[in-house]
Amino acid sequence: MNQQLKEVQNWLKENQLEAAYIHAPSDIAYFTNFHSDPHERVLALFIFPDQEPFLFTPALEVESAEQVVNFPVYGYLDSENPWTIISEQLKNRGVQSRIAIQKDVFPVNRWEALKEALPTLTEAMDVSPLIQRMHLCKSQEEIAIMMEAGKWADFAFEKGFSALQEGVSEQEVAAYLEYELKKQGVHHMSFDTIVLFGAHAASPHGMPDTEHHLENHQLALFDLGCMWNGYASDATRMACYGEPTDRQREIFDIVYEAQRRAQEAIRPGVTAGELDAIARDYITSKGYGEYFTHRLGHGIGQQCHEFPSIVGGNDMVIEEGMCFSIEPGIYIPNEIGVRVEDCVHVTKDGSEAFTKLPKELYIIKD
């Protein structure tokens, strides 16, 4: 049994709980190395304080799961009630009343279905904070995988920049860079690729479409990442088709400097809130504070957005091994949107970015 499972077992013993129900597929992969997207079907990992765990999957995935895990795997057909099977297995292991669930992601209807099948359940303690803490500081093996994911993000930026030409649509560029990744064996993005031109980039999470076409002297925002061996990358770069205007250059330089200052300030002992303030105060000093409308960053790992939040007021102390984004932006409605982002892992005396492509404004010329 791996160390992560043992840590949950010890926590269950300390809290006198009979079992932990792990629901999130990414967390199941973290504990078992079994990767699955069950869609609407039930996928669950049950951990016990003094017994071996069991994995519950749709019947069509039992064989695949058994090749990965070294403890029991149970499955169910679409025609069967999964909760009946789960409740019987829990009863067989002496589970009666007190379990732990992931309250941050566990659907209410599934908790109700489990309680209906096992009416003696009376208490559900939250295991989410423990799992968040376990994810917080990555191992060297995890960081090595994330460095590879970062290399593929760099590759995607280069392909995306090469596709910029006057008249091309945002969606065409996004589709091209994803196609180039797939040809290299990178099958999944961390999230839907963002490619936005001109004023359309003033929407921080806008989506590429076929209506916006690249024009001369227009900025292009690329926010993308890919999955590699179960871990995500995420970064943002800016390009300009033709020479930028003075206004574009001014705003880009402010965001670039804010990002640089915050990233250079990362080290064990600083707080998440202090990092946010470094970037936010700089942008505010230049007169654009009201246009920086989101937190500075988010954690990253098996999911693109993980705990913690790098935001003002968060007094969490940064530790070696933490992985998170630094991504200030300025978004002026109907005019311009600029963001610069790297994700980093914290070292003993600083940080290292997963993406290595320079963050300066890329000028695309015919």
Side-chain angles (χ1 to χ4, degrees), residues 35-52:
H35 297 265
S36 171
D37 182 355
H39 301 291
E40 76 282 2
R41 295 183 174 97
V42 177
L43 174 70
L45 172 66
F46 290 90
I47 306 172
F48 306 93
D50 295 303
Q51 304 176 68
E52 65 179 354

Side-chain angles (χ1 to χ4, degrees), residues 145-247:
I145 296 171
M146 295 174 73
M147 294 299 293
E148 287 297 316
K151 288 181 181 179
W152 287 116
D154 286 337
F155 174 88
F157 283 126
E158 292 174 341
K159 293 300 180 181
F161 294 158
S162 73
L164 294 178
Q165 57 183 334
E166 191 167 5
V168 72
S169 74
E170 297 168 338
Q171 189 61 61
E172 286 177 301
V173 176
Y176 173 74
L177 68 86
E178 290 188 10
Y179 172 63
E180 290 297 318
L181 280 170
K182 288 182 184 296
K183 289 199 299 184
Q184 300 298 318
V186 181
H187 300 295
H188 301 288
M189 307 304 291
S190 308
F191 53 92
D192 290 339
T193 298
I194 298 174
V195 178
L196 303 173
F197 299 154
H200 196 202
S203 174
H205 279 176
M207 295 306 300
D209 59 34
T210 58
E211 304 300 319
H212 291 84
H213 297 265
L214 187 61
E215 301 174 6
N216 200 23
H217 305 295
Q218 200 170 49
L219 293 180
L221 183 152
F222 290 76
D223 188 348
L224 57 84
C226 61
M227 299 301 299
W228 185 255
N229 288 347
Y231 285 81
S233 57
D234 180 14
T236 304
R237 297 291 187 268
M238 300 294 304
C240 188
Y241 188 70
E243 289 295 329
T245 65
D246 291 344
R247 170 76 162 166

Side-chain angles (χ1 to χ4, degrees), residues 251-268:
I251 292 175
F252 175 84
D253 286 348
I254 292 170
V255 175
Y256 175 89
E257 180 63 15
Q259 201 280 340
R260 186 193 67 80
R261 291 184 178 206
Q263 189 164 321
E264 287 192 355
I266 297 169
R267 57 184 47 83

